[in-house]
Amino acid sequence: VLRQPRFPVTYWVLALLLLAPLSAWLHASETWDPWKNPYGICTHQTTPEALRVIKEAGIGWIRIDMNWSDLEPRERGKFAWGALDSVVQLAREHQLKIYATVGGTPAWAADPQIQPDPGRGTYHVPPAGSGDWMNYLRALVLRYRGDIQTYGLWNEPNHRNWKGSPESYVQLIVNPAARTIKTACPGCKV
């Protein structure tokens, strides 16, 4: 039985160990472009310190919830933008792109025929119709169209976050949202 010499493998391993820091240095010296960065993180920590750490980790995207029930909580057309304005501004300052997850029906817009689960409010209850949902989305997209170009619809509708049927999810949420978002921002992704 012939044996292969072991030193060529040892030299390959040594070469890789020596070149790995160089490749990291080359990557770190590139101009920061979050659109080319495929890495993202779902965060509910949107403080300046948290976003600084996220960027330093080499992450270019943050996924944040933009719940309808938080932004238009009490009545139709009365928006509470303050907290979200701050988060969007911080993301801009840290050069982080936002993947916005939209959803969560406020009580005033919820279908009265569907009872919410105890302790969960109406977040997961379908809206009574798609009109209010579309008005919320239009206001959101127009307000942030220079900062947010990527939207996800409802968080995990297949995992207890949607009390309607799959058909009602498509008819009340997906189709109206896609039309509304693309009309307000043709370059946005849904």
Side-chain angles (χ1 to χ4, degrees):
V1 173
L2 294 173
R3 295 185 133 213
Q4 294 285 341
R6 290 177 45 128
F7 69 90
V9 171
T10 304
Y11 286 125
W12 272 105
V13 170
L14 182 60
L16 286 173
L17 288 174
L18 292 173
L19 291 175
L22 177 62
S23 68
W25 175 80
L26 288 173
H27 177 70
S29 67
E30 294 174 4
T31 303
W32 180 258
D33 184 356
W35 283 113
K36 293 181 181 176
N37 185 324
Y39 303 109
I41 189 169
C42 175
T43 183
H44 299 283
Q45 301 298 319
T46 52
T47 64
E49 177 65 13
L51 296 186
R52 182 190 62 74
V53 169
I54 288 169
K55 182 176 180 192
E56 286 179 3
I59 296 169
W61 289 81
I62 56 172
R63 177 212 169 270
I64 57 176
D65 295 330
M66 297 189 178
N67 294 328
W68 182 17
S69 55
D70 294 335
L71 296 173
E72 198 177 11
R74 306 230 187 285
E75 63 182 285
R76 180 182 296 113
K78 300 289 185 186
F79 293 97
W81 299 115
L84 187 55
D85 284 347
S86 298
V87 171
V88 171
Q89 176 63 33
L90 283 172
R92 185 184 317 120
E93 290 171 7
H94 288 86
Q95 296 176 300
L96 296 167
K97 294 295 177 192
I98 296 173
Y99 175 98
T101 300
V102 295
T105 309
W108 62 265
D111 185 337
Q113 303 300 316
I114 300 176
Q115 292 298 313
D117 292 334
R120 295 201 65 203
T122 58
Y123 175 92
H124 60 299
V125 174
S130 62
D132 289 322
W133 167 243
M134 292 174 8
N135 289 335
Y136 154 71
L137 290 172
R138 187 176 303 104
L140 179 76
V141 172
L142 290 174
R143 186 173 187 89
Y144 299 113
R145 81 173 140 201
D147 294 299
I148 302 171
Q149 290 85 32
T150 309
Y151 293 87
L153 308 177
W154 228 266
N155 180 42
E156 300 173 349
N158 61 328
H159 186 65
R160 295 185 31 209
N161 281 335
W162 179 256
K163 285 202 67 151
S165 68
E167 295 79 16
S168 68
Y169 174 69
V170 171
Q171 295 304 314
L172 286 171
I173 302 301
V174 175
N175 290 342
R179 280 191 310 272
T180 301
I181 293 169
K182 294 301 254 176
T183 298
C185 178
C188 284
K189 294 182 172 89
V190 180

